[in-house]
Amino acid sequence: MRYTLIILLLLTIACQSKKAKEKTFPEEVEEVAIVKDTIVESDGETKNYEVEIKEELIEENKLVITDDTSIYVGLLKKISQGKDYYLPVNFKRTTSTILQEDFHNNFEKYTSDVILKSIEYTRFKIEDDVANKYLEISNLNTILVFDDNQEVIDTLRLKNYEYFSDQIESQIIATYSSTDKLNENKQYVCTTVNDFIAKNNYRFLKDNVYLKETLKENKFKPTDVYAHYKMIKDKDTISFLSFGSYGKEVAKHGFYLFKNKVPTDSIINKNLITEIITVPLTLNGQGLFMTSQFIPETDAFWTALVGIDFKTNQLKQYERNRVSLK
């Protein structure tokens, strides 16, 4: 009887120890989200269905690459059907066009785990060594997020570098976890941490009457006006016009900068600008702005940093959304 009690006591202690260990070191589990959507059948009837999205717990990215030669500026956007936000990531200048094409055509070679899979897209993780070799990732570890009043409302830290494989267009992104301070229905201007942050008072607003006057005075007859905004600087009116002209001739696209309705500079190419957002940076007399751009009749959409030199009223385009401090 004595030995039986000792054995029972030992078994009880072992079970309690196992439970304590399980409580202290739980096994990692997948986070599963159920997304409800509606699909229209060929007979016109609509049916509701649920899609299961598995989001694995992933260790935070530890790669830190910083430099003091450039500032990154971008538009932070929400990823649908998940909790994360993202910024587009560009290739390094040293990454050849052939390698860039291979990266997109054979992205499985450059990625590892599947982070999240849905009916619309799949997110693949890009490991640190691959990101450092091919991508321009300096100063992306910590970003400042600004509201419409150009006030810092949040600081986000990098979660992953990823290949975002979409049905329409795939891209390389840097992802950041959401916070309660951000509204998922908005896009935010963000920059890397720097000493040049200052409120930029140059704000463009719409004015349809001024648009008609500008078109008439310059004898522009656009088929489509994609964007027109103006602002008052001192005693002058600075405005821009983005439009396309389509007809029997070759299509023409233009982005014009005006001072008091007189063109001072332009960007004439296949790209069209549809939006301009003030950035809280002013360097060397230039106002900086984020623009949304696209190529008509294609699925090519992107954001690009544009500067306006208010001394010369000239435009400047920045590669890879980076302002050089050299």
Side-chain angles (χ1 to χ4, degrees):
M1 184 66 178
R2 179 180 179 184
Y3 291 110
T4 302
L5 290 174
I6 293 174
I7 291 172
L8 289 174
L9 180 61
L10 290 174
L11 288 173
T12 301
I13 294 173
C15 290
Q16 290 176 346
S17 176
K18 183 179 180 181
K19 289 182 179 179
K21 185 177 181 180
E22 288 176 349
K23 186 175 181 180
T24 307
F25 304 102
E27 295 181 0
E28 287 192 353
V29 295
E30 292 182 326
E31 180 180 347
V32 178
I34 303 298
V35 178
K36 295 184 178 180
D37 208 339
T38 302
I39 187 170
V40 180
E41 301 290 352
S42 58
D43 57 4
E45 293 185 4
T46 59
K47 294 182 179 180
N48 295 323
Y49 66 97
E50 294 183 346
V51 179
E52 189 177 88
I53 299 177
K54 295 182 178 181
E55 188 171 4
E56 297 179 357
L57 298 178
I58 298 173
E59 186 177 355
E60 186 178 353
N61 196 305
K62 296 295 189 298
L63 180 64
V64 178
I65 296 181
T66 60
D67 67 62
D68 56 1
T69 63
S70 69
I71 299 172
Y72 176 88
V73 184
L75 287 181
L76 186 71
K77 297 183 179 181
K78 177 74 169 54
I79 300 178
S80 63
Q81 300 181 348
K83 300 178 181 179
D84 297 335
Y85 286 79
Y86 76 94
L87 290 172
V89 176
N90 295 290
F91 288 99
K92 290 182 177 180
R93 288 189 178 89
T94 54
T95 305
S96 68
T97 302
I98 295 176
L99 276 174
Q100 293 181 35
E101 292 177 354
D102 186 63
F103 202 109
H104 284 291
N105 294 332
N106 303 289
F107 63 86
E108 295 91 348
K109 296 193 308 183
Y110 302 92
T111 58
S112 55
D113 301 330
V114 173
I115 294 175
L116 190 150
K117 183 177 179 63
S118 75
I119 58 174
E120 296 179 359
Y121 59 78
T122 305
R123 293 165 54 184
F124 298 87
K125 183 176 181 180
I126 299 175
E127 297 294 340
D128 289 352
D129 56 343
V130 175
N132 189 29
K133 185 175 181 179
Y134 298 109
L135 308 179
E136 182 57 80
I137 59 174
S138 58
N139 297 338
L140 290 182
N141 288 80
T142 304
I143 59 172
L144 302 175
V145 183
F146 297 84
D147 62 13
D148 294 336
N149 295 317
Q150 301 179 51
E151 301 290 343
V152 177
I153 58 171
D154 211 346
T155 301
L156 301 183
R157 288 173 176 77
L158 179 71
K159 184 176 182 181
N160 287 304
Y161 297 111
E162 302 179 19
Y163 190 84
F164 188 90
S165 180
D166 199 333
Q167 295 177 352
I168 299 176
E169 181 185 14
S170 297
Q171 60 180 321
I172 299 169
I173 61 176
T175 58
Y176 302 83
S177 297
S178 62
T179 72
D180 294 337
K181 298 178 182 178
L182 302 183
N183 183 339
E184 66 177 28
N185 297 317
K186 295 185 63 176
Q187 61 181 7
Y188 297 91
V189 169
C190 58
T191 73
T192 51
V193 179
N194 65 85
D195 297 326
F196 297 90
I197 301 253
K199 194 166 185 178
N200 187 339
N201 293 318
Y202 304 128
R203 294 199 176 194
F204 284 97
L205 301 172
K206 291 183 178 181
D207 189 328
N208 290 330
V209 174
Y210 197 84
L211 166 61
K212 293 178 181 179
E213 294 173 353
T214 302
L215 293 173
K216 183 177 180 180
E217 289 194 19
N218 290 276
K219 297 181 179 179
F220 286 151
K221 296 180 179 179
T223 306
D224 292 296
V225 173
Y226 293 97
H228 175 266
Y229 294 86
K230 75 166 191 177
M231 71 174 181
I232 305 299
K233 184 183 182 300
D234 300 327
K235 296 181 179 180
D236 298 311
T237 300
I238 308 298
S239 62
F240 79 83
L241 171 65
S242 180
F243 69 92
S245 295
Y246 311 101
K248 295 181 181 180
E249 301 178 0
V250 177
K252 297 179 181 179
H253 311 113
F255 174 78
Y256 282 83
L257 180 69
F258 300 87
K259 180 178 180 181
N260 300 322
K261 301 175 187 171
V262 177
T264 60
D265 201 2
S266 62
I267 300 174
I268 308 297
N269 51 26
K270 296 180 179 180
N271 306 350
L272 282 167
I273 294 175
T274 59
E275 184 180 26
I276 186 165
I277 302 174
T278 303
V279 174
L281 290 172
T282 304
L283 295 174
N284 302 321
Q286 287 189 66
L288 298 179
F289 304 88
M290 283 303 302
T291 62
S292 298
Q293 303 190 21
F294 78 106
I295 299 176
E297 299 181 1
T298 72
D299 294 322
F301 293 83
W302 68 95
T303 57
L305 184 64
V306 173
I308 299 177
D309 189 329
F310 291 113
K311 295 178 181 178
T312 62
N313 291 302
Q314 299 293 298
L315 295 165
K316 182 175 181 179
Q317 300 183 78
Y318 291 91
E319 292 185 3
R320 296 170 173 79
N321 290 357
R322 289 183 178 270
V323 182
S324 175
L325 299 178
K326 293 182 179 179

